[in-house]
Amino acid sequence: MVVNSCRIAIRNSLRHPLSLAKDPRPECGEWRIPPTLKIPLDQESIFELVEVDSTKGINASVHYEIDVPEYEDTKWRITVQCISQEGRTKLIPSSTFLPSQGQSQPCHLFSFDPPFLQSESQSFEVRLDVKYDYTLRTNSHITEVRMPARFITSHISNVAREAPTASTSIEDDTIIWKADSLATFEDNSDSLFSGSYYPVGVDVSNGSHAVLKMRFNVSDEKLLGVPLQIYGDNDVSPKVVRQQETRPVIFNMTGEWDIRLKVDPSWARRDVPWGVAGNVVWRICVIETGQLIGLNSSRLEFYAFSPKIAPLFPKSLVPIMLLRRFVLSRKTWTPDFSWEGYCCSLAFHDFAFRYDIWDGRPSYGRVNNDGVYFRLHAYLSNIKAGPKLVNCYDQACIMKICLSLSPAIDSLEWIFMKPFGFIKTTVLIGRGVCNNPFYGQAGRSKQRLCESNLPTRSKFNNHAFVRVGGADGKIVDACSGPHLGDETLGHFIDASIDKVEGSIFGGERDICILNSDLRLDLETREILPRI
């Protein structure tokens, strides 16, 4: 008489050992070879069950737990059931996870080879490989992104010059994106950036403020019990947003979950303004396998800068275009480069402005007895609009504004010097190498670079620039040079002014320091001078 038997060789192809979970006493039959207490990784263990009563056949379940020390509050169990009755034998492997709270659930992280086996043989022998499933799929998706309202230290006006926060607050959070309201949240009006109608501004010096909350809809069971990390890439860099907790998230039920995130691009620093804008493509990384699962995308426009700049603007609303044109452009940083140098170089080299070689008139800034006025919106609108005219007043104004975004800059002065004099050979914004700034003016030499003592050579009657750091601070000039904030006033004068023999500018110069805030006219639309 042939005795029914079930002989199984289990191979552990996981990253962790398997430990026998409980007494594997058979319901029917007995162990000829009992299950081992532990199966090390990449090892194989054999157990064999034989029939005792032919009327009952064999029936036993062996439960192994996966030993993962870093997940003490969650257990995973591999179960192998062998049933043989009436000449038919079945092998049924399965996997579950046991959360610290709630009931056990099927877990799709693991797979089996073979996944199921049935045999007509009375004597059954099989090799079962326990491994990971590298082909997980899900319909889960992000439904909402929110910002803790208490961390918003500076309100930003969007392209409509509004700061829409009141109507979208939930508890202590402000909704900044929703999957079912894309037109409400996504601003596609700027040809250079994919923006948001709900931009966020936080204090750059406080890294703990760069956090978001994501509402994640776990819509199917395939992610349950699977240790995951969630992060977001954009078109500039991977992982610009990542899960705040380093510990993986494990979902134990379907439905909506709130996950805290940290906005942390590679160029983020606490002493220099930075920003992230555009579509964020969300991904899930399965920790055990490294598999990446793509999710949907959301829109984010996030800035970190000094909140001390806000009172400069009407209603303390920082214009979005200022941040887009200056802050978003910075994607790298080297220790030997400063915010002063970065802003000055950007305004001098990258914007579509040219010096007014006819009259040297300001197009956006003007100086009155009661201070300096600046048409910021017009300036920002024309940065990429083709060649427009500027003078030193305009460039000094924009420097004072954009430098104020940095927490590292405490003292910032708009300086007006009169007289100034003939300029040494330098580079004039949008015009190239020059020592004759008004070569377009009637009666003046038409050469940008002319002889020093030429009677028709032109000069700066006055000049405006910015000083950073008080009396012994450094000069920033985005009109000529440029001067990137690495010279004192004395060195700047020596480097800039041509001491022509017999010049009326050989004597002393009056320096007027305007410490008052710029008066910003954000609404005025004027016809700009000719080019």
Side-chain angles (χ1 to χ4, degrees), residues 226-230 243 245-251 257 259 287:
V226 180
L228 305 168
Q229 283 280 1
I230 299 177
Q243 203 171 301
E245 295 291 334
T246 56
R247 180 183 175 87
V249 61
I250 301 175
F251 302 115
W257 290 71
I259 300 170
I287 300 300

Side-chain angles (χ1 to χ4, degrees), residues 499-510:
K499 298 177 176 61
V500 179
E501 185 177 352
S503 168
I504 62 170
F505 297 109
E508 295 183 356
R509 293 170 175 80
D510 293 326

Side-chain angles (χ1 to χ4, degrees), residues 146-168:
R146 309 193 307 274
M147 176 72 194
R150 66 186 183 278
F151 292 156
I152 300 176
T153 52
S154 296
H155 290 288
I156 301 170
S157 62
N158 60 21
V159 292
R161 301 185 210 173
E162 299 172 347
T165 56
S167 62
T168 58

Side-chain angles (χ1 to χ4, degrees), residues 229-281:
Q229 283 280 1
I230 299 177
Y231 64 88
D233 303 335
N234 72 357
D235 57 356
V236 175
S237 178
K239 297 185 178 180
V240 293
V241 187
R242 57 180 174 81
Q243 203 171 301
Q244 188 176 31
E245 295 291 334
T246 56
R247 180 183 175 87
V249 61
I250 301 175
F251 302 115
N252 60 17
M253 65 179 69
T254 58
E256 291 194 327
W257 290 71
D258 283 345
I259 300 170
R260 293 180 70 89
L261 306 166
K262 183 174 179 61
V263 186
D264 191 27
S266 59
W267 55 90
R269 290 172 44 150
R270 292 194 179 185
D271 58 340
V272 178
W274 57 268
V276 173
N279 292 319
V280 177
V281 179

Side-chain angles (χ1 to χ4, degrees), residues 196-359:
S196 171
Y197 289 117
Y198 290 78
V200 173
V202 301
D203 185 353
V204 65
S205 61
N206 192 331
S208 64
H209 287 181
V211 297
L212 301 173
K213 290 181 182 179
M214 167 200 289
R215 182 150 289 176
F216 185 54
N217 183 20
V218 181
S219 59
D220 53 56
E221 296 181 351
K222 294 181 180 179
L223 296 184
L224 301 185
V226 180
L228 305 168
Q229 283 280 1
I230 299 177
Y231 64 88
D233 303 335
N234 72 357
D235 57 356
V236 175
S237 178
K239 297 185 178 180
V240 293
V241 187
R242 57 180 174 81
Q243 203 171 301
Q244 188 176 31
E245 295 291 334
T246 56
R247 180 183 175 87
V249 61
I250 301 175
F251 302 115
N252 60 17
M253 65 179 69
T254 58
E256 291 194 327
W257 290 71
D258 283 345
I259 300 170
R260 293 180 70 89
L261 306 166
K262 183 174 179 61
V263 186
D264 191 27
S266 59
W267 55 90
R269 290 172 44 150
R270 292 194 179 185
D271 58 340
V272 178
W274 57 268
V276 173
N279 292 319
V280 177
V281 179
W282 297 99
R283 305 184 195 280
I284 288 174
C285 178
V286 180
I287 300 300
E288 293 297 305
T289 65
Q291 180 193 353
L292 296 179
I293 304 174
L295 303 172
N296 57 320
S297 64
S298 67
R299 184 67 60 85
L300 175 67
E301 191 162 6
F302 190 101
Y303 297 96
F305 55 92
S306 173
K308 68 186 180 184
I309 193 177
L312 185 62
F313 306 101
K315 300 180 181 179
S316 294
L317 296 180
V318 181
I320 189 65
M321 295 303 294
L322 174 68
L323 301 172
R324 287 181 181 177
R325 296 300 181 251
F326 280 92
V327 177
L328 276 187
S329 300
R330 188 184 76 78
K331 295 297 186 293
T332 59
W333 199 259
T334 56
D336 59 342
F337 204 54
S338 65
W339 179 248
E340 301 95 294
Y342 161 77
C343 290
C344 184
S345 181
L346 186 69
F348 189 85
H349 294 293
D350 292 6
F351 297 167
F353 291 123
R354 294 179 178 180
Y355 188 75
D356 181 356
I357 59 172
W358 293 276
D359 302 304

